[in-house]
Amino acid sequence: MTLNDAAPTGTSGGATEAASGTADAVNDGTAAGDASWQDDVRAGVRHVRDLESLPLSPAERAAAQAAATRHKVRIPKAYLDLIDWSDPADPIRAQVIPSPQELAEQDGELDDPIGDHEFSPVPRLTHRHADRVLLFPTYQCAVYCRFCFRKESLTSIGRGYTREALEPAFAYIAAHPEIREVILTGGDPLSLPDKALAEIRASIEAIPHVRLLRIHTRVPVALPSRVTSGLVGALQGRLMVTVVTHFNHPREITDATEAACRTLRHAGFMLLNQSVLLKGVNDTVEVLEELCRELMYRLGIKPYYLHHGDLARGMAHRRTTIAEGQALAGALRRRLSGICNPVYVLDLPDGGGKVPLGPCYVEGRDGETWRIRGQDGEVRAYREVVGG
């Protein structure tokens, strides 16, 4: 059993998680010297009842417990320690402390906001795009973000990793030579022990047509102590490896996260970041500018995507309008170098994939002449000149 296998199936999510799961991962492929991350998990919030120890008012605590009963709660101590409890609008707190607003669902919000299930030909795999697939080795996480677009699956599916559960997915990948890239997601794949990660990597790299292993993870942000030499060794092999982190606010960038990202870079892994645009967390140009600069200049992570908030249930209070997002993206384009700029995207609910939302600088066209707005706001004529 691992930290991801600790929760039995049931509807209460974090309220029903077993207390013994985290300790067992130390004995399941994790070297003794790399086990401090387990202490970080144990010392944090792992159950609804752990919310009682937080500096919340009685009313806030009762509301948080009600929301956590609906959707799982888990917060490692390292991330919990970043919260400024004197600030009710603290951006770290807003991402992980359950809120009663999560229970206020709106018309149009969805259980499966990006169409994972519709494009799942076998269990634990989504094949939405021709050359790549999503693989779900676990449906559980080291930290449960309140805005997560898979929050319904993470609450209702209590299964962690077993090799047998992934065999149909491995067989599917092997039978489809057009697949060049396998994306480990979930859940958080890096919350698994080293032994499991090594098994998954070996199974994927044994398929000759797969070229790249991509890992989507919040671990370097919320549980940086998990990034160990054992974890790196479990992921190294034939495949090119890209790690896509999930930093949303510059306050998440610490000495510990810097050390974790340096370890991943020195292993030869490419590092990208995808953020979610969240009202009250990072919806100002000043916050996004600092985040993108520090990601690139301090952590060596290329800002990759800035996601418009998906239609996850109970998240209307954290979604901005698309127009607000476009204005922020335009302001970032003016302030940051190209290498620091993420692409503002919307992941379409019907499985249509991620589409750039702009801003658009094309004002119009007359034959071969285009009217294009520069970053200074001035519209200029640009005439195409092409060969016959």
Side-chain angles (χ1 to χ4, degrees):
M1 183 183 291
T2 74
L3 110 81
N4 297 289
D5 300 319
T9 55
T11 58
S12 298
T16 62
E17 292 187 57
S20 62
T22 56
D24 295 330
V26 177
N27 300 317
D28 191 8
T30 303
D34 290 341
S36 63
W37 65 278
Q38 295 287 344
D39 296 331
D40 198 343
V41 173
R42 292 187 188 96
V45 171
R46 294 188 291 155
H47 313 276
V48 171
R49 62 177 175 271
D50 293 336
L51 295 170
E52 297 174 3
S53 65
L54 302 183
L56 301 169
S57 70
E60 289 173 324
R61 184 173 295 109
Q65 289 172 330
T69 300
R70 173 72 183 273
H71 298 292
K72 289 181 180 181
V73 61
R74 181 180 280 138
I75 316 165
K77 186 177 187 301
Y79 198 76
L80 201 63
D81 287 346
L82 299 180
I83 296 175
D84 177 2
W85 293 105
S86 67
D87 180 7
D90 178 81
I92 309 300
R93 174 176 176 164
Q95 294 183 67
V96 291
I97 300 300
S99 163
Q101 291 172 297
E102 296 174 38
L103 304 178
E105 298 179 1
Q106 305 292 322
D107 289 343
E109 293 182 327
L110 304 169
D111 291 338
D112 183 19
I114 65 169
D116 280 340
H117 305 323
E118 182 181 351
F119 293 87
S120 181
V122 296
R124 299 195 181 222
L125 182 140
T126 293
H127 193 180
R128 187 181 297 114
H129 305 290
D131 66 344
R132 58 201 181 274
V133 295
L134 301 177
L135 182 66
F136 301 84
T138 178
Y139 289 96
Q140 298 183 26
C141 294
V143 60
Y144 288 110
C145 304
R146 309 318 301 175
F147 54 86
C148 181
F149 67 92
R150 292 196 178 108
K151 62 194 302 180
E152 300 292 335
S153 294
L154 300 182
T155 293
S156 63
I157 301 175
R159 297 167 300 192
Y161 167 77
T162 66
R163 180 175 175 81
E164 292 73 21
L166 292 181
E167 288 295 349
F170 293 145
Y172 180 90
I173 297 168
H176 287 75
E178 71 274 18
I179 296 171
R180 297 287 186 268
E181 185 173 338
V182 175
I183 302 165
L184 301 187
T185 185
D188 195 317
L190 294 193
S191 64
L192 292 171
D194 299 341
K195 180 180 178 181
L197 290 170
E199 289 176 347
I200 295 165
R201 186 261 308 156
S203 295
I204 295 170
E205 73 179 9
I207 303 171
H209 53 262
V210 176
R211 304 285 299 280
L212 186 142
L213 178 66
R214 196 199 314 177
I215 299 155
H216 287 194
T217 179
R218 190 91 153 116
V219 157
V221 184
L223 189 59
S225 57
R226 174 67 188 99
V227 180
T228 63
S229 59
L231 180 145
V232 165
L235 297 175
Q236 288 178 317
R238 173 182 69 80
L239 300 170
M240 292 292 294
V241 175
T242 298
V243 178
V244 182
T245 62
H246 186 169
F247 289 86
N248 287 323
H249 194 278
R251 285 251 313 278
E252 296 172 329
I253 299 175
T254 66
D255 290 345
T257 60
E258 182 179 4
C261 293
R262 185 185 304 115
T263 296
L264 295 170
R265 289 201 327 270
H266 288 178
F269 302 158
M270 176 187 290
L271 302 186
L272 305 173
N273 186 76
Q274 52 184 354
S275 302
V276 177
L277 182 58
L278 297 167
K279 185 185 296 185
V281 173
N282 58 10
D283 59 332
T284 69
V285 67
E286 293 79 12
V287 168
L288 288 174
E289 179 182 7
E290 182 182 359
L291 172 64
C292 292
R293 277 212 176 98
E294 292 303 295
L295 283 169
M296 191 70 250
Y297 297 158
R298 181 175 177 184
L299 302 187
I301 300 177
K302 169 70 176 83
Y304 175 43
Y305 284 140
L306 175 64
H307 285 267
H308 186 73
D310 293 303
L311 295 175
R313 293 192 182 278
M315 283 294 103
H317 65 291
R318 292 292 174 210
R319 281 191 292 272
T320 69
T321 66
I322 290 176
E324 289 170 331
Q326 289 175 321
L328 287 168
L332 288 178
R333 176 64 60 181
R334 292 189 294 273
R335 292 177 180 225
L336 295 170
S337 71
I339 199 170
C340 293
N341 260 282
V343 179
Y344 178 44
V345 296
L346 171 66
D347 213 336
L348 291 169
D350 61 358
K354 298 177 182 67
V355 293
L357 292 177
C360 180
Y361 296 91
V362 176
E363 297 289 332
R365 177 186 179 186
D366 183 10
E368 294 177 347
T369 300
W370 296 73
R371 295 187 303 280
I372 300 176
R373 178 168 42 87
Q375 292 188 17
D376 59 1
E378 182 179 345
V379 178
R380 297 171 171 84
Y382 174 83
R383 187 173 68 87
E384 289 183 300
V385 179
V386 297

